[in-house]
Amino acid sequence: MTAAVLAPRNAAVVLLRGYRAVISPLYGDVCRYYPSCSAYTLQAIQEHGVVIGSGLGVKRIARCHPWAEGGIDDVPLKKVRRYRVTPFGFVVAESQGKG
């Protein structure tokens, strides 16, 4: 059940990882913020899901323009985290055997 719930989130992770591997290097290091807009969107989707994470990513991209001050802009974290991120970036349920 949990894998089905996380499937859209992980599909978005695959798409963004592909973008970051193939298309993003063509632009070079042009983002005024850290992390880059694509990395921010990836983290936002991992943390908040596809709908809210994509919304946060769109807001970030709208702020990223030549006149922006830029700087460090981290994804806001949830107070209670129910999932963890694998080294590849997939989102999986926390193991129940902890504690």
Side-chain angles (χ1 to χ4, degrees), residues 22-95:
V22 176
I23 297 170
S24 187
L26 299 175
Y27 291 109
D29 190 17
V30 295
C31 192
R32 304 184 68 68
Y33 289 99
Y34 179 85
S36 69
C37 292
S38 61
Y40 180 94
T41 303
L42 176 63
Q43 292 171 12
I45 288 172
Q46 289 168 328
E47 183 72 18
H48 297 281
V50 176
V51 175
I52 294 173
S54 295
L56 288 169
V58 167
K59 284 176 61 176
R60 164 57 115 60
I61 291 167
R63 291 193 318 260
C64 191
H65 52 77
W67 304 278
E69 185 176 328
I72 296 174
D73 181 24
D74 291 320
V75 174
L77 298 178
K78 289 178 133 182
K79 292 181 182 176
V80 177
R81 302 180 81 191
R82 301 182 327 187
Y83 308 112
R84 65 180 178 83
V85 177
T86 67
F88 179 80
F90 286 134
V91 179
V92 295
E94 282 285 347
S95 61

